[in-house]
Amino acid sequence: MMNNIAVIGSSGTIGGAFIRKLSELCPEAQISGFSRNKPSSTIANAKFYEIDYTNEESIANSAEIAAENAPLDLVIVATGILHNEAFMPEKSMKELSIAKFQEIILANTIFPALVAKHFLPKLAKDRRAVFAALSARVGSISDNQLGGWYSYRTSKAALNMIIKNLSIEMKMRYKQAIIVGLHPGTVDSRLSKPFQANVPAGKLFTADYAVAKMLEVINTLTPENSGKCYAWDGEEILA
């Protein structure tokens, strides 16, 4: 039973799908959604708040809001960046730049780490609780056969290491806590749009489908799974 849930990145394609599905599955739960801009939609048992991804005080305040009435049972970090109007993923080392690395790593690595810093201490101690951050299969070093995408791959590999570190630290005091990375597959969104032509048939998912599958994975996890990264189908993604 999940009574208190927080979703960070609630205005995004995947974050919004998490809010909708969790509201359906847990109608009695308190759901707090955090994003840079509050979505215009309303959901019966969800409240939405603004968060500044670049401001640690804002992240800390968001954790206080989420856990004001009860400890957290589930925290989902559904944020991330692959490209924007200024740059695309690198095809070769000639495209590396300080600016690109800084922006990608700030969004994909540093921000989730700071969310963990402030939200993990708000998890329930007396029962199972989950902290899950969106990672990616391309963050696996052992699985990398194609190269390219330097900054994005690096940011997700670093996130996976942070998840591992967090799991080790948390198990000393939060015996039932589970900290994992989740790979949603290729979701039909603005992030994947430029690359969808290369996606195999049947492997481009709607956000609702990917979220339903990831929640199925979350429901099967135990503390022994903490510190690992899992794909939407439950397969463990190795480092």
Side-chain angles (χ1 to χ4, degrees):
M1 177 66 70
M2 292 187 286
N3 299 313
N4 195 11
I5 299 167
V7 177
I8 295 87
S10 57
S11 65
T13 301
I14 296 178
F18 266 116
I19 294 278
R20 293 191 300 272
K21 189 63 176 177
L22 286 165
S23 177
E24 173 190 327
L25 294 174
C26 309
E28 302 301 319
Q30 171 185 309
I31 303 175
S32 301
F34 298 90
S35 57
R36 285 176 292 190
N37 300 295
K38 289 195 290 186
S40 56
S41 60
T42 57
I43 295 177
N45 58 329
K47 293 183 178 180
F48 296 98
Y49 306 90
E50 291 185 4
I51 185 173
D52 183 347
Y53 296 165
T54 65
N55 185 309
E56 187 173 351
E57 183 178 358
S58 175
I59 298 168
N61 289 341
S62 297
E64 293 294 333
I65 291 169
E68 181 178 9
N69 298 317
L72 288 160
D73 298 293
L74 175 64
V75 178
I76 300 285
V77 184
T79 57
I81 182 174
L82 172 59
H83 59 86
N84 60 21
E85 295 79 7
F87 59 77
M88 295 294 289
E90 307 93 342
K91 294 181 179 179
S92 75
M93 61 185 173
K94 291 185 292 185
E95 299 174 23
L96 298 176
S97 74
I98 292 173
K100 192 179 297 186
F101 264 109
Q102 287 177 331
E103 185 163 355
I104 294 288
I105 289 177
L106 176 62
N108 294 347
T109 310
I110 297 173
F111 174 67
L114 292 177
V115 171
K117 173 184 175 179
H118 294 286
F119 277 76
L120 284 178
K122 306 296 185 184
L123 291 183
K125 280 189 173 182
D126 61 347
R127 57 187 183 270
R128 179 181 181 274
V130 179
F131 178 98
L134 291 191
S135 188
R137 188 180 295 277
V138 296
S140 167
I141 295 172
S142 60
D143 189 64
N144 182 5
Q145 304 298 320
L146 297 175
W149 292 29
Y150 283 86
S151 53
Y152 186 74
R153 287 183 185 275
T154 300
S155 70
K156 293 300 187 178
L159 173 61
N160 293 343
M161 178 59 78
I162 287 169
I163 287 168
K164 178 64 176 179
N165 271 12
L166 293 169
S167 72
I168 293 169
E169 181 174 351
M170 285 293 289
K171 72 179 180 182
M172 300 175 186
R173 291 173 291 129
Y174 292 72
K175 302 297 185 183
Q176 300 184 65
I178 304 165
I179 297 95
V180 294
L182 293 176
H183 169 55
T186 303
V187 175
D188 187 7
S189 67
R190 185 179 62 83
L191 182 144
S192 71
K193 193 70 68 178
F195 316 103
Q196 290 181 5
N198 299 320
V199 178
K203 293 298 184 180
L204 180 63
F205 305 144
T206 66
D208 289 338
Y209 176 81
V211 161
K213 297 299 289 184
M214 286 188 287
L215 287 173
E216 288 178 7
V217 173
I218 286 173
N219 287 338
T220 68
L221 298 176
T222 69
E224 286 70 35
N225 302 118
S226 193
K228 300 177 181 179
C229 184
Y230 293 92
W232 59 275
D233 58 359
E235 178 188 1
E236 182 182 350
I237 296 174
L238 301 178

Coordinates of all heavy atoms in Angstrom, one line a residue, residues 129-220:
A129 N 9.8 1.0 0.9 CA 9.8 2.3 0.2 C 10.7 2.3 -1.0 O 11.8 1.7 -0.9 CB 10.1 3.5 1.2
V130 N 10.4 3.0 -2.0 CA 11.1 3.0 -3.3 C 11.5 4.4 -3.8 O 10.6 5.3 -3.8 CB 10.3 2.2 -4.4 CG1 11.1 2.2 -5.7 CG2 10.0 0.8 -3.9
F131 N 12.7 4.5 -4.2 CA 13.2 5.7 -4.9 C 13.7 5.2 -6.3 O 14.6 4.4 -6.3 CB 14.3 6.4 -4.1 CG 14.9 7.6 -4.8 CD1 14.5 8.9 -4.4 CD2 15.9 7.5 -5.8 CE1 15.1 10.0 -5.0 CE2 16.5 8.6 -6.4 CZ 16.0 9.8 -6.0
A132 N 13.1 5.7 -7.3 CA 13.4 5.3 -8.7 C 13.7 6.5 -9.6 O 12.9 7.4 -9.6 CB 12.3 4.4 -9.3
A133 N 14.8 6.4 -10.3 CA 15.2 7.5 -11.2 C 15.3 7.0 -12.6 O 15.9 5.9 -12.8 CB 16.5 8.1 -10.7
L134 N 14.8 7.7 -13.6 CA 14.9 7.2 -14.9 C 16.4 7.2 -15.4 O 17.0 8.3 -15.3 CB 14.1 8.1 -15.9 CG 12.6 8.1 -15.7 CD1 12.0 8.8 -16.9 CD2 12.1 6.6 -15.7
S135 N 16.9 6.1 -15.8 CA 18.2 6.0 -16.3 C 18.1 5.6 -17.8 O 17.1 5.9 -18.4 CB 19.0 4.9 -15.5 OG 20.3 4.9 -15.9
A136 N 19.0 4.8 -18.3 CA 19.0 4.4 -19.8 C 19.9 3.3 -20.0 O 21.0 3.2 -19.4 CB 19.3 5.6 -20.7
R137 N 19.5 2.4 -20.9 CA 20.4 1.3 -21.3 C 21.8 1.8 -21.8 O 22.8 1.2 -21.7 CB 19.7 0.4 -22.3 CG 20.5 -0.9 -22.6 CD 19.8 -1.7 -23.6 NE 18.5 -2.2 -23.1 CZ 18.4 -3.3 -22.3 NH1 19.4 -4.0 -21.9 NH2 17.2 -3.7 -21.9
V138 N 21.7 3.0 -22.5 CA 23.0 3.5 -23.1 C 24.0 4.0 -22.0 O 25.1 4.3 -22.3 CB 22.7 4.7 -24.1 CG1 21.9 4.2 -25.3 CG2 22.1 5.8 -23.4
G139 N 23.6 4.0 -20.8 CA 24.5 4.3 -19.7 C 25.3 3.0 -19.2 O 26.2 3.2 -18.4
S140 N 25.0 1.9 -19.8 CA 25.7 0.7 -19.5 C 27.1 0.7 -20.3 O 27.1 0.7 -21.5 CB 24.9 -0.6 -19.9 OG 25.7 -1.7 -19.8
I141 N 28.2 0.6 -19.6 CA 29.5 0.5 -20.2 C 29.7 -0.8 -20.9 O 30.1 -0.9 -22.1 CB 30.6 0.7 -19.2 CG1 30.5 2.1 -18.6 CG2 32.0 0.5 -19.8 CD1 31.4 2.4 -17.4
S142 N 29.2 -1.9 -20.3 CA 29.4 -3.2 -20.9 C 28.5 -3.4 -22.1 O 28.9 -4.2 -23.0 CB 29.2 -4.3 -19.9 OG 27.8 -4.2 -19.4
D143 N 27.4 -2.7 -22.2 CA 26.5 -2.9 -23.3 C 26.8 -2.0 -24.5 O 26.2 -2.1 -25.6 CB 25.1 -2.6 -22.8 CG 24.0 -3.0 -23.9 OD1 23.9 -4.2 -24.2 OD2 23.3 -2.1 -24.3
N144 N 27.8 -1.1 -24.3 CA 28.0 0.0 -25.4 C 28.8 -0.6 -26.5 O 30.0 -0.9 -26.4 CB 28.8 1.1 -24.7 CG 29.1 2.2 -25.7 OD1 28.6 2.2 -26.9 ND2 29.8 3.2 -25.3
Q145 N 28.1 -0.8 -27.6 CA 28.8 -1.4 -28.8 C 28.8 -0.3 -30.0 O 29.4 -0.6 -31.0 CB 28.0 -2.6 -29.3 CG 27.9 -3.7 -28.3 CD 29.2 -4.2 -27.8 OE1 30.1 -4.4 -28.7 NE2 29.4 -4.5 -26.5
L146 N 28.2 0.8 -29.8 CA 28.0 1.7 -30.9 C 28.8 3.0 -30.7 O 29.1 3.7 -31.7 CB 26.5 2.1 -31.1 CG 25.6 0.9 -31.5 CD1 24.2 1.4 -31.5 CD2 26.0 0.4 -32.8
G147 N 29.2 3.4 -29.5 CA 29.9 4.6 -29.2 C 28.9 5.8 -29.4 O 27.7 5.7 -29.5
G148 N 29.5 7.0 -29.5 CA 28.7 8.2 -29.7 C 28.0 8.6 -28.4 O 28.1 8.0 -27.4
W149 N 27.2 9.7 -28.5 CA 26.4 10.1 -27.4 C 27.2 10.3 -26.1 O 26.8 9.8 -25.1 CB 25.2 9.2 -27.2 CG 24.2 9.2 -28.3 CD1 24.4 9.5 -29.6 CD2 22.8 9.0 -28.2 NE1 23.2 9.4 -30.4 CE2 22.2 9.1 -29.5 CE3 21.9 8.6 -27.2 CZ2 20.9 8.9 -29.8 CZ3 20.6 8.4 -27.4 CH2 20.1 8.6 -28.7
Y150 N 28.3 10.9 -26.2 CA 29.3 10.9 -25.1 C 28.7 11.5 -23.8 O 28.8 10.8 -22.8 CB 30.5 11.7 -25.5 CG 31.5 11.1 -26.4 CD1 31.3 11.1 -27.8 CD2 32.6 10.4 -25.9 CE1 32.2 10.4 -28.7 CE2 33.5 9.7 -26.8 CZ 33.3 9.8 -28.2 OH 34.2 9.2 -29.0
S151 N 28.2 12.7 -23.9 CA 27.7 13.3 -22.7 C 26.5 12.6 -22.1 O 26.4 12.5 -20.8 CB 27.4 14.8 -22.9 OG 26.5 15.0 -24.0
Y152 N 25.6 12.2 -22.9 CA 24.4 11.5 -22.4 C 24.8 10.1 -21.8 O 24.3 9.8 -20.7 CB 23.4 11.3 -23.5 CG 22.1 10.7 -23.1 CD1 21.2 11.5 -22.4 CD2 21.7 9.4 -23.3 CE1 19.9 11.0 -22.0 CE2 20.5 8.9 -22.9 CZ 19.6 9.7 -22.2 OH 18.4 9.2 -21.8
R153 N 25.6 9.3 -22.5 CA 26.0 8.1 -21.9 C 26.7 8.3 -20.6 O 26.5 7.5 -19.6 CB 27.0 7.3 -22.9 CG 26.3 6.7 -24.1 CD 27.3 6.0 -25.0 NE 26.8 5.5 -26.2 CZ 26.2 4.3 -26.4 NH1 26.0 3.6 -25.3 NH2 25.8 4.0 -27.6
T154 N 27.6 9.3 -20.6 CA 28.4 9.5 -19.3 C 27.5 9.9 -18.2 O 27.7 9.5 -17.1 CB 29.4 10.6 -19.6 OG1 30.3 10.2 -20.6 CG2 30.2 11.0 -18.4
S155 N 26.5 10.8 -18.5 CA 25.6 11.2 -17.4 C 24.8 10.1 -16.8 O 24.5 10.1 -15.6 CB 24.7 12.3 -18.0 OG 23.7 11.8 -18.9
K156 N 24.4 9.2 -17.7 CA 23.6 8.0 -17.2 C 24.4 7.0 -16.5 O 24.0 6.4 -15.5 CB 22.8 7.4 -18.3 CG 21.7 8.3 -18.9 CD 20.7 8.7 -17.8 CE 19.5 9.5 -18.5 NZ 18.4 9.8 -17.5
A157 N 25.7 6.8 -17.0 CA 26.6 5.9 -16.3 C 26.9 6.4 -14.9 O 26.9 5.7 -13.9 CB 27.8 5.7 -17.1
A158 N 27.1 7.7 -14.8 CA 27.3 8.4 -13.5 C 26.1 8.3 -12.6 O 26.2 8.0 -11.4 CB 27.8 9.8 -13.7
L159 N 24.9 8.4 -13.1 CA 23.7 8.3 -12.3 C 23.6 6.9 -11.8 O 23.2 6.7 -10.6 CB 22.5 8.6 -13.2 CG 21.1 8.3 -12.6 CD1 20.9 9.2 -11.3 CD2 20.0 8.6 -13.6
N160 N 23.9 5.9 -12.6 CA 23.9 4.5 -12.1 C 24.8 4.3 -10.9 O 24.5 3.5 -10.0 CB 24.2 3.5 -13.2 CG 23.1 3.5 -14.3 OD1 22.0 4.0 -14.0 ND2 23.4 3.0 -15.5
M161 N 26.0 4.9 -11.0 CA 26.9 4.8 -9.9 C 26.4 5.5 -8.6 O 26.5 5.0 -7.5 CB 28.3 5.4 -10.2 CG 29.3 5.4 -9.1 SD 29.7 3.7 -8.5 CE 30.8 3.1 -9.8
I162 N 25.7 6.6 -8.8 CA 25.1 7.3 -7.7 C 24.0 6.5 -7.0 O 23.9 6.4 -5.8 CB 24.6 8.7 -8.1 CG1 25.7 9.7 -8.4 CG2 23.6 9.3 -7.1 CD1 25.3 10.9 -9.1
I163 N 23.2 5.8 -7.9 CA 22.2 4.9 -7.4 C 22.8 3.8 -6.5 O 22.3 3.5 -5.4 CB 21.4 4.4 -8.5 CG1 20.5 5.5 -9.1 CG2 20.5 3.2 -8.1 CD1 19.8 5.2 -10.4
K164 N 23.9 3.2 -7.0 CA 24.6 2.2 -6.2 C 25.1 2.7 -4.9 O 24.9 2.1 -3.9 CB 25.8 1.6 -7.1 CG 26.6 0.6 -6.4 CD 25.8 -0.7 -6.1 CE 26.6 -1.8 -5.5 NZ 25.8 -3.0 -5.2
N165 N 25.8 3.9 -4.9 CA 26.3 4.5 -3.7 C 25.1 4.7 -2.7 O 25.2 4.4 -1.5 CB 27.0 5.8 -4.0 CG 28.5 5.6 -4.2 OD1 28.9 4.5 -4.4 ND2 29.2 6.7 -4.3
L166 N 24.0 5.3 -3.2 CA 22.9 5.6 -2.3 C 22.3 4.3 -1.7 O 22.0 4.3 -0.5 CB 21.8 6.3 -3.1 CG 22.1 7.7 -3.7 CD1 21.0 8.1 -4.6 CD2 22.2 8.7 -2.5
S167 N 22.3 3.2 -2.4 CA 21.7 2.0 -1.9 C 22.6 1.5 -0.8 O 22.0 0.9 0.2 CB 21.6 1.0 -3.0 OG 22.9 0.5 -3.4
I168 N 23.9 1.6 -0.9 CA 24.8 1.1 0.2 C 24.6 2.0 1.4 O 24.5 1.4 2.6 CB 26.2 1.2 -0.3 CG1 26.4 0.2 -1.4 CG2 27.2 0.9 0.8 CD1 27.8 0.3 -2.2
E169 N 24.5 3.3 1.3 CA 24.4 4.2 2.4 C 23.0 4.0 3.1 O 22.9 3.9 4.3 CB 24.6 5.6 2.0 CG 24.4 6.6 3.2 CD 24.8 8.0 2.8 OE1 25.3 8.2 1.7 OE2 24.5 8.9 3.6
M170 N 22.0 3.9 2.3 CA 20.6 3.8 2.8 C 20.3 2.5 3.6 O 19.6 2.5 4.6 CB 19.6 4.0 1.7 CG 19.5 5.4 1.2 SD 18.7 6.6 2.5 CE 17.0 6.0 2.5
K171 N 20.9 1.4 3.2 CA 20.5 0.1 3.8 C 21.0 0.1 5.2 O 20.5 -0.8 6.0 CB 21.1 -1.0 3.0 CG 22.6 -1.2 3.1 CD 23.1 -2.4 2.2 CE 24.5 -2.6 2.3 NZ 25.0 -3.8 1.5
M172 N 21.9 1.0 5.7 CA 22.3 0.9 7.1 C 21.2 1.4 8.0 O 21.1 1.0 9.2 CB 23.6 1.8 7.2 CG 24.7 1.3 6.4 SD 26.1 2.5 6.5 CE 27.3 1.7 5.3
R173 N 20.4 2.3 7.5 CA 19.3 3.0 8.4 C 17.9 2.7 7.9 O 17.0 2.7 8.7 CB 19.6 4.5 8.5 CG 20.9 4.8 9.3 CD 21.1 6.3 9.2 NE 21.5 6.7 7.8 CZ 21.0 7.7 7.2 NH1 20.0 8.4 7.7 NH2 21.4 8.0 6.0
Y174 N 17.8 2.5 6.6 CA 16.4 2.2 6.0 C 16.4 0.8 5.4 O 16.7 0.6 4.3 CB 16.1 3.3 4.9 CG 15.9 4.7 5.5 CD1 17.0 5.5 5.9 CD2 14.7 5.3 5.5 CE1 16.8 6.7 6.4 CE2 14.5 6.6 5.9 CZ 15.6 7.3 6.4 OH 15.4 8.6 6.8
K175 N 16.2 -0.1 6.3 CA 16.4 -1.5 5.9 C 15.5 -2.0 4.7 O 15.8 -2.9 4.0 CB 16.1 -2.4 7.1 CG 17.0 -2.1 8.3 CD 18.4 -2.4 8.1 CE 19.2 -2.2 9.3 NZ 20.7 -2.3 9.1
Q176 N 14.3 -1.4 4.6 CA 13.4 -1.8 3.5 C 13.4 -0.8 2.3 O 12.6 -1.0 1.4 CB 12.0 -1.9 4.1 CG 11.9 -2.9 5.2 CD 10.4 -3.0 5.7 OE1 9.6 -3.5 5.0 NE2 10.2 -2.7 7.0
A177 N 14.3 0.1 2.3 CA 14.4 1.0 1.2 C 15.0 0.4 -0.1 O 15.9 -0.5 0.0 CB 15.2 2.2 1.5
I178 N 14.4 0.7 -1.2 CA 14.9 0.2 -2.5 C 15.2 1.4 -3.4 O 14.3 2.3 -3.7 CB 13.8 -0.7 -3.2 CG1 13.4 -1.8 -2.2 CG2 14.3 -1.2 -4.5 CD1 12.1 -2.5 -2.7
I179 N 16.4 1.5 -3.9 CA 16.9 2.6 -4.7 C 17.3 2.0 -6.0 O 18.3 1.2 -6.1 CB 18.0 3.4 -4.1 CG1 17.5 4.1 -2.8 CG2 18.5 4.5 -5.0 CD1 17.8 3.3 -1.5
V180 N 16.6 2.4 -7.1 CA 16.9 1.8 -8.4 C 16.9 2.8 -9.5 O 16.3 3.9 -9.4 CB 15.9 0.6 -8.8 CG1 16.1 -0.5 -7.8 CG2 14.5 1.2 -8.8
G181 N 17.5 2.4 -10.7 CA 17.4 3.1 -11.9 C 16.4 2.3 -12.8 O 16.3 1.1 -12.7
L182 N 15.6 3.1 -13.6 CA 14.7 2.4 -14.5 C 14.9 2.9 -15.9 O 15.0 4.1 -16.2 CB 13.2 2.8 -14.1 CG 12.7 2.2 -12.7 CD1 11.3 2.7 -12.5 CD2 12.7 0.7 -12.8
H183 N 14.9 1.9 -16.8 CA 15.0 2.3 -18.3 C 13.7 2.1 -18.9 O 13.2 0.9 -18.9 CB 16.1 1.3 -18.9 CG 16.1 1.4 -20.4 ND1 16.2 2.6 -21.1 CD2 15.9 0.4 -21.4 CE1 16.2 2.3 -22.4 NE2 16.0 1.0 -22.6
P184 N 13.1 3.1 -19.4 CA 11.7 3.0 -19.9 C 11.5 2.5 -21.3 O 10.4 2.3 -21.8 CB 11.2 4.5 -19.9 CG 12.4 5.3 -20.1 CD 13.5 4.5 -19.4
G185 N 12.7 2.2 -22.0 CA 12.6 1.9 -23.4 C 12.5 3.2 -24.2 O 12.7 4.3 -23.6
T186 N 12.3 3.1 -25.5 CA 12.1 4.3 -26.3 C 10.7 4.7 -26.3 O 9.8 4.0 -26.8 CB 12.6 4.0 -27.7 OG1 13.9 3.5 -27.7 CG2 12.5 5.3 -28.6
V187 N 10.4 5.8 -25.7 CA 9.1 6.4 -25.5 C 8.8 7.4 -26.5 O 9.7 8.3 -26.8 CB 8.9 6.9 -24.1 CG1 7.5 7.5 -23.9 CG2 9.1 5.8 -23.0
D188 N 7.6 7.4 -27.1 CA 7.2 8.5 -28.0 C 7.1 9.8 -27.3 O 6.1 10.1 -26.7 CB 5.9 8.1 -28.7 CG 5.5 9.0 -29.8 OD1 6.3 9.8 -30.2 OD2 4.4 8.9 -30.3
S189 N 8.2 10.6 -27.5 CA 8.2 11.9 -26.8 C 9.1 12.8 -27.6 O 9.7 12.5 -28.5 CB 8.8 11.7 -25.4 OG 10.1 11.3 -25.4
R190 N 9.2 14.1 -27.1 CA 10.0 15.1 -27.8 C 11.5 14.6 -27.7 O 12.3 14.8 -28.6 CB 9.9 16.4 -27.1 CG 10.6 17.6 -27.7 CD 10.4 18.9 -27.0 NE 10.8 18.8 -25.6 CZ 12.1 19.0 -25.3 NH1 13.0 19.3 -26.2 NH2 12.5 19.0 -24.0
L191 N 11.9 14.0 -26.6 CA 13.3 13.5 -26.4 C 13.7 12.5 -27.5 O 14.8 12.6 -28.1 CB 13.4 12.9 -25.0 CG 14.8 12.4 -24.6 CD1 15.1 12.7 -23.1 CD2 15.0 10.9 -24.9
S192 N 12.8 11.6 -27.8 CA 13.1 10.5 -28.8 C 12.8 10.9 -30.2 O 13.2 10.2 -31.2 CB 12.4 9.2 -28.4 OG 11.0 9.3 -28.7
K193 N 12.0 12.0 -30.5 CA 11.5 12.3 -31.8 C 12.5 12.2 -32.9 O 12.3 11.6 -34.0 CB 10.8 13.6 -31.8 CG 9.9 13.9 -33.0 CD 8.7 13.0 -33.0 CE 7.7 13.4 -31.9 NZ 6.5 12.6 -31.9
P194 N 13.7 12.8 -32.8 CA 14.7 12.8 -33.9 C 15.2 11.4 -34.2 O 15.8 11.3 -35.3 CB 15.8 13.8 -33.4 CG 15.2 14.6 -32.3 CD 14.2 13.6 -31.6
F195 N 15.0 10.5 -33.3 CA 15.7 9.2 -33.5 C 14.7 8.0 -33.7 O 15.1 6.8 -33.8 CB 16.5 8.8 -32.3 CG 17.3 10.0 -31.8 CD1 16.9 10.8 -30.7 CD2 18.5 10.4 -32.5 CE1 17.7 11.9 -30.3 CE2 19.2 11.5 -32.1 CZ 18.8 12.3 -31.0
Q196 N 13.4 8.3 -33.9 CA 12.4 7.3 -33.9 C 12.5 6.4 -35.2 O 12.0 5.3 -35.2 CB 11.0 7.9 -33.8 CG 10.7 8.4 -32.4 CD 9.4 9.0 -32.2 OE1 8.5 8.9 -33.1 NE2 9.1 9.6 -31.0
A197 N 13.0 7.0 -36.3 CA 13.1 6.2 -37.5 C 14.0 5.0 -37.4 O 13.8 4.0 -38.1 CB 13.7 7.1 -38.6
N198 N 14.9 5.0 -36.4 CA 15.8 3.9 -36.2 C 15.3 2.9 -35.2 O 16.0 1.9 -34.9 CB 17.2 4.4 -35.7 CG 17.8 5.3 -36.8 OD1 17.7 5.1 -38.0 ND2 18.4 6.4 -36.3
V199 N 14.1 3.1 -34.6 CA 13.6 2.2 -33.6 C 13.0 1.0 -34.2 O 12.1 1.1 -35.2 CB 12.6 3.0 -32.7 CG1 12.0 2.0 -31.7 CG2 13.2 4.2 -32.0
P200 N 13.3 -0.2 -33.8 CA 12.7 -1.4 -34.4 C 11.2 -1.4 -34.2 O 10.7 -0.9 -33.3 CB 13.4 -2.6 -33.6 CG 14.6 -2.0 -33.0 CD 14.3 -0.5 -32.8
A201 N 10.5 -2.1 -35.1 CA 9.1 -2.2 -35.1 C 8.6 -2.8 -33.7 O 9.2 -3.8 -33.2 CB 8.6 -3.1 -36.2
G202 N 7.7 -2.2 -33.1 CA 7.1 -2.6 -31.9 C 7.9 -2.2 -30.7 O 7.5 -2.5 -29.5
K203 N 8.9 -1.4 -30.8 CA 9.8 -1.0 -29.7 C 9.6 0.5 -29.4 O 10.4 1.0 -28.6 CB 11.2 -1.3 -30.0 CG 11.5 -2.8 -30.0 CD 11.2 -3.5 -28.7 CE 11.6 -4.9 -28.6 NZ 11.3 -5.6 -27.3
L204 N 8.7 1.2 -30.1 CA 8.4 2.6 -29.7 C 7.2 2.6 -28.9 O 6.1 2.3 -29.4 CB 8.2 3.5 -31.0 CG 7.9 4.9 -30.8 CD1 9.1 5.6 -30.0 CD2 7.6 5.6 -32.1
F205 N 7.3 2.9 -27.6 CA 6.2 2.8 -26.7 C 5.5 4.1 -26.4 O 6.1 5.2 -26.4 CB 6.8 2.3 -25.3 CG 7.5 1.0 -25.4 CD1 8.6 0.8 -24.6 CD2 7.2 0.0 -26.3 CE1 9.3 -0.4 -24.6 CE2 7.9 -1.2 -26.3 CZ 9.0 -1.4 -25.5
T206 N 4.2 4.0 -26.1 CA 3.6 5.2 -25.5 C 4.0 5.4 -24.1 O 4.5 4.4 -23.5 CB 2.0 5.0 -25.5 OG1 1.7 3.9 -24.6 CG2 1.5 4.7 -26.9
A207 N 3.9 6.6 -23.6 CA 4.3 6.8 -22.2 C 3.5 6.0 -21.3 O 4.0 5.5 -20.3 CB 4.2 8.3 -21.9
D208 N 2.2 5.9 -21.5 CA 1.3 5.1 -20.7 C 1.7 3.7 -20.6 O 1.7 3.1 -19.5 CB -0.1 5.2 -21.1 CG -0.7 6.6 -20.9 OD1 -0.2 7.4 -20.1 OD2 -1.7 6.9 -21.6
Y209 N 2.1 3.1 -21.7 CA 2.6 1.7 -21.7 C 3.9 1.5 -20.9 O 4.0 0.6 -20.1 CB 2.8 1.2 -23.1 CG 3.3 -0.2 -23.2 CD1 2.5 -1.3 -23.1 CD2 4.7 -0.4 -23.4 CE1 3.0 -2.6 -23.1 CE2 5.2 -1.7 -23.5 CZ 4.3 -2.8 -23.4 OH 4.8 -4.1 -23.4
A210 N 4.8 2.4 -21.2 CA 6.1 2.3 -20.5 C 6.0 2.5 -19.0 O 6.6 1.7 -18.2 CB 7.1 3.4 -21.1
V211 N 5.2 3.4 -18.6 CA 5.0 3.7 -17.2 C 4.3 2.5 -16.5 O 4.6 2.0 -15.4 CB 4.1 4.9 -17.0 CG1 3.5 5.0 -15.6 CG2 5.0 6.2 -17.2
A212 N 3.3 1.9 -17.2 CA 2.6 0.7 -16.6 C 3.6 -0.4 -16.4 O 3.6 -1.1 -15.4 CB 1.4 0.3 -17.5
K213 N 4.5 -0.6 -17.4 CA 5.5 -1.7 -17.3 C 6.5 -1.4 -16.2 O 6.9 -2.3 -15.4 CB 6.2 -1.9 -18.6 CG 5.3 -2.3 -19.8 CD 4.6 -3.6 -19.5 CE 5.6 -4.8 -19.6 NZ 4.9 -6.1 -19.4
M214 N 6.9 -0.1 -16.1 CA 7.9 0.2 -15.0 C 7.3 0.1 -13.6 O 7.9 -0.4 -12.7 CB 8.4 1.6 -15.2 CG 9.4 1.7 -16.4 SD 10.2 3.3 -16.5 CE 8.9 4.4 -17.2
L215 N 6.0 0.4 -13.5 CA 5.3 0.2 -12.2 C 5.2 -1.3 -11.9 O 5.3 -1.7 -10.7 CB 4.0 0.9 -12.2 CG 4.0 2.4 -12.1 CD1 2.6 3.0 -12.3 CD2 4.6 2.9 -10.8
E216 N 5.0 -2.1 -12.9 CA 5.0 -3.6 -12.6 C 6.4 -4.0 -12.1 O 6.5 -4.8 -11.2 CB 4.7 -4.3 -13.9 CG 3.3 -4.2 -14.4 CD 3.0 -4.9 -15.7 OE1 3.9 -5.6 -16.2 OE2 1.9 -4.8 -16.2
V217 N 7.4 -3.5 -12.7 CA 8.8 -3.8 -12.2 C 9.0 -3.3 -10.8 O 9.5 -4.1 -9.9 CB 9.9 -3.1 -13.1 CG1 11.3 -3.3 -12.5 CG2 9.8 -3.8 -14.5
I218 N 8.6 -2.1 -10.5 CA 8.7 -1.5 -9.1 C 8.0 -2.4 -8.1 O 8.5 -2.7 -7.0 CB 8.1 -0.1 -9.1 CG1 9.1 0.9 -9.8 CG2 7.9 0.3 -7.6 CD1 8.6 2.3 -9.9
N219 N 6.8 -2.9 -8.5 CA 6.0 -3.8 -7.5 C 6.7 -5.1 -7.2 O 6.4 -5.7 -6.2 CB 4.6 -4.0 -8.1 CG 3.8 -2.8 -8.1 OD1 4.0 -1.9 -7.3 ND2 2.8 -2.7 -8.9
T220 N 7.6 -5.5 -8.1 CA 8.3 -6.8 -7.8 C 9.6 -6.7 -7.1 O 10.2 -7.7 -6.6 CB 8.6 -7.5 -9.2 OG1 9.6 -6.8 -9.9 CG2 7.4 -7.7 -10.0

